[in-house]
């Protein structure tokens, strides 16, 4: 038996109901793709030797606590309980988020963009127009 994720009167909604809803509304594929991209990015960062210090995770955790007004430990634990997360799971989420940001920062840096453009400049020498709209001949 699965745990209810929401309840309206005496009607329970389960994770399988959420998945069906997302599929019916055409949102499931995008959310799944986002999850996979995040996971691959995080694993790739680890493989590349990107480091995330415990202090960075703690700083991010403190930022989230400030944003949500979680000024006491009990409020923080209640917040995590409402999300259905343990402290370790939330810390893993924060760590993965920081890995992702570091990878994105490295591939979108000015140097990385210049290198990419330099290696692929012939592709940028011309454009292909598929449709043009003019006011006159």
């Amino acid at each position: 038996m699965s745990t209810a994720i929401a309840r309206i009167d005496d009607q329970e909604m389960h994770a399988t109901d959420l998945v069906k809803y997302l599929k019916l509304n055409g949102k499931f594929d995008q959310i799944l793709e986002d999850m996979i991209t995040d996971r691959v990015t995080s694993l790739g960062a680890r493989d590349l030797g990107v480091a995330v210090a415990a202090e960075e995770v703690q700083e991010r955790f403190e930022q989230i606590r400030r944003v949500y007004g979680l000024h006491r430990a009990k409020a923080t634990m209640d917040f995590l309980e409402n999300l259905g997360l343990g402290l370790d799971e939330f810390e893993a989420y924060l760590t993965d988020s920081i890995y992702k940001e570091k990878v994105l920062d490295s591939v979108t840096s000015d140097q990385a963009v210049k290198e990419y453009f330099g290696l692929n400049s012939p592709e940028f020498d011309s454009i292909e127009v598929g449709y043009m709209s003019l006011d006159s001949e």
Side-chain angles (χ1 to χ4, degrees), residues 55-73:
E55 294 81 16
E56 292 175 287
V57 177
Q58 184 63 39
E59 182 181 324
R60 180 65 52 88
F61 191 50
E62 293 303 321
Q63 288 172 347
I64 289 172
R65 288 183 67 190
R66 282 191 297 275
V67 167
Y68 287 100
L70 306 171
H71 304 295
R72 300 189 188 283

Side-chain angles (χ1 to χ4, degrees), residues 55-124:
E55 294 81 16
E56 292 175 287
V57 177
Q58 184 63 39
E59 182 181 324
R60 180 65 52 88
F61 191 50
E62 293 303 321
Q63 288 172 347
I64 289 172
R65 288 183 67 190
R66 282 191 297 275
V67 167
Y68 287 100
L70 306 171
H71 304 295
R72 300 189 188 283
K74 172 137 178 44
T76 301
M77 296 313 291
D78 290 345
F79 172 77
L80 293 176
E81 185 178 321
N82 285 336
L83 292 175
L85 296 173
L87 198 52
D88 290 342
E89 292 171 301
F90 193 62
E91 185 177 316
Y93 168 77
L94 295 176
T95 302
D96 283 348
S97 296
I98 295 168
Y99 273 123
K100 180 181 164 190
E101 287 174 18
K102 286 186 173 195
V103 168
L104 289 174
D105 287 346
S106 72
V107 299
T108 59
S109 70
D110 287 344
Q111 183 61 31
V113 171
K114 285 178 186 176
E115 285 177 19
Y116 180 84
F117 184 77
L119 291 172
N120 297 286
S121 61
E123 293 178 33
F124 302 112

